[in-house]
Amino acid sequence: METLTVPPRTGHKTLLYSELVTDLENLRADIAILGMPFGAAYGPHAFTNDQTRAPQTIRNLTDRLVRAPEHYDFDIDGPLLQGRTDIRFVDCGDVLPDLSKPGDHYRRCELAVRRILGGGGLPIVLGGDHGITTPVLRGYDGHGPITLVHVDAHLDWRDEVNGVRDGLSSPIRRASEMPYVKHIVQIGLRAQGSGRPADYEAARRYGADLITAYELHDVGMQAVLDRIPDGGNYYLSIDADGMDAAVMPAVDGPAPGGVTFVQARKLIHGLVKKGRVVGMDIVEIQPSKDNAAMLTCVTAGRLIVNLIGASIRAGYFDRK
């Protein structure tokens, strides 16, 4: 049996007091955390960057995110697992690269996601840079149609950078090529990233719904939610720089005016109610740039808490 993930070696062994399970062969779970620290580097100095530390840094803040899993949480109107003893909540550890097989961690990430989905689980993936969304979404083949909801300051429609097609500037372009991804909504766009005018035109030709941060603030998150088709399967990808730098400052390219925590929380709860959220990732956090309160990682963790609590309250894991 191939080993796909490894347990954390230091600090908290799991996120939010979940059960550690790294044998994914016959995994049965309702909610599954997966760490994917490494993407596809554009150059030699990018193989190990600060973002690779983010999954474990978020795990290590478990006690800050949820003081105790049985305590009442106002974000989700109850305890973390809503008092449900039948919910199996697991942390599958991290997919790490094999230096003797460059790029093989993308294949193992895809396979890990397939096994989580096959066992009935809702994957919540901790990146890593935004390149990790590509192998994660490849694992959803056979689970479509999917609406990809993308929170980001940047477009991420580059076809390649330095010959690398699965890097952090390309995940939405790669998603657009997946036949089971039927609709793409991009929220929080602002400032300037690696996208060229040709990439913007490619997104428009595809039919991506591009919502700038300024439009979001003008019309509100409910109006944005109303533009997303009801009854869908939604995959939510949150780039930390899509959020406002006031709540997620520890990113490579901070830009003022992003999505607020309250807006992001409303997006999560709204998607859970209007259809089924089938997965989420949070990427692009650089822990060494976080402030003394570790606000960026705390915000990421609290968004995860909101998805967990909301999905349980919505009956996602009710037994028939």
Side-chain angles (χ1 to χ4, degrees):
M1 180 185 67
E2 182 178 19
T3 299
L4 302 177
T5 64
V6 297
R9 296 183 61 185
T10 60
H12 273 260
K13 298 302 182 186
T14 68
L15 180 70
L16 298 173
Y17 316 101
S18 54
E19 174 190 356
L20 178 64
V21 178
T22 56
D23 180 359
L24 307 187
E25 186 71 24
N26 296 297
L27 177 67
R28 293 291 180 268
D30 297 300
I31 301 162
I33 304 297
L34 180 67
M36 182 59 175
F38 293 86
Y42 291 143
H45 296 294
F47 277 101
T48 299
N49 57 53
D50 197 38
Q51 293 163 350
T52 65
R53 299 174 51 243
Q56 192 54 41
T57 303
I58 297 171
R59 285 189 183 101
N60 289 345
L61 289 169
T62 282
D63 300 338
R64 289 268 305 283
L65 303 173
V66 172
R67 186 72 57 85
E70 70 275 8
H71 287 191
Y72 189 91
D73 193 313
F74 281 93
D75 277 18
I76 55 176
D77 294 326
L80 177 64
L81 300 184
Q82 302 294 320
R84 294 274 297 273
T85 59
D86 61 325
I87 299 292
R88 192 178 190 202
F89 175 32
V90 304
D91 190 323
C92 298
D94 295 330
V95 178
L96 295 183
D98 181 343
L99 297 183
S100 68
K101 300 177 181 178
D104 190 61
H105 61 301
Y106 268 39
R107 179 191 63 83
R108 286 184 285 111
C109 175
E110 176 184 339
L111 187 52
V113 170
R114 289 181 184 276
R115 290 185 179 172
I116 291 169
L117 292 170
L122 168 65
I124 300 175
V125 185
L126 310 177
D129 68 45
H130 216 152
I132 68 97
T133 299
T134 297
V136 171
L137 283 176
R138 286 174 180 153
Y140 281 81
D141 186 11
H143 292 269
I146 289 172
T147 294
L148 172 59
V149 181
H150 171 223
V151 174
D152 203 324
H154 307 121
L155 197 61
D156 289 357
W157 274 78
R158 287 289 293 273
D159 189 40
E160 58 84 25
V161 176
N162 295 339
V164 177
R165 303 185 75 241
D166 289 343
L168 61 91
S169 296
S170 305
I172 310 306
R173 171 82 71 140
R174 297 288 84 81
S176 75
E177 298 164 350
M178 300 175 188
Y180 45 92
V181 175
K182 298 299 185 181
H183 188 52
I184 296 174
V185 182
Q186 300 184 247
I187 304 169
L189 299 164
R190 62 198 189 281
Q192 186 183 80
S194 69
R196 316 294 171 83
D199 303 318
Y200 174 80
E201 293 303 325
R204 284 294 191 198
R205 285 195 303 273
Y206 172 85
D209 193 354
L210 306 181
I211 302 167
T212 68
Y214 314 113
E215 181 181 359
L216 166 65
H217 296 318
D218 283 344
V219 304
M221 185 58 81
Q222 186 58 55
V224 171
L225 280 163
D226 291 343
R227 287 163 59 172
I228 300 173
D230 289 340
N233 296 314
Y234 311 110
Y235 183 90
L236 178 59
S237 182
I238 300 178
D239 186 319
D241 66 39
M243 301 289 292
D244 192 76
V247 293
M248 297 193 93
V251 298
D252 187 46
V259 179
T260 69
F261 176 79
V262 173
Q263 289 170 333
R265 178 183 177 272
K266 189 176 186 69
L267 175 63
I268 290 170
H269 286 255
L271 290 174
V272 166
K273 291 174 182 175
K274 79 188 311 75
R276 189 174 187 93
V277 177
V278 295
M280 179 172 80
D281 64 53
I282 296 183
V283 299
E284 300 280 349
I285 294 172
Q286 297 192 349
S288 68
K289 295 182 179 179
D290 221 351
N291 57 23
M294 299 301 292
L295 180 60
T296 306
C297 292
V298 168
T299 299
R302 289 302 303 176
L303 293 174
I304 292 170
V305 167
N306 274 272
L307 176 59
I308 292 171
S311 62
I312 295 172
R313 287 184 64 84
Y316 279 20
F317 314 110
D318 292 352
R319 307 297 188 254
K320 301 300 182 183

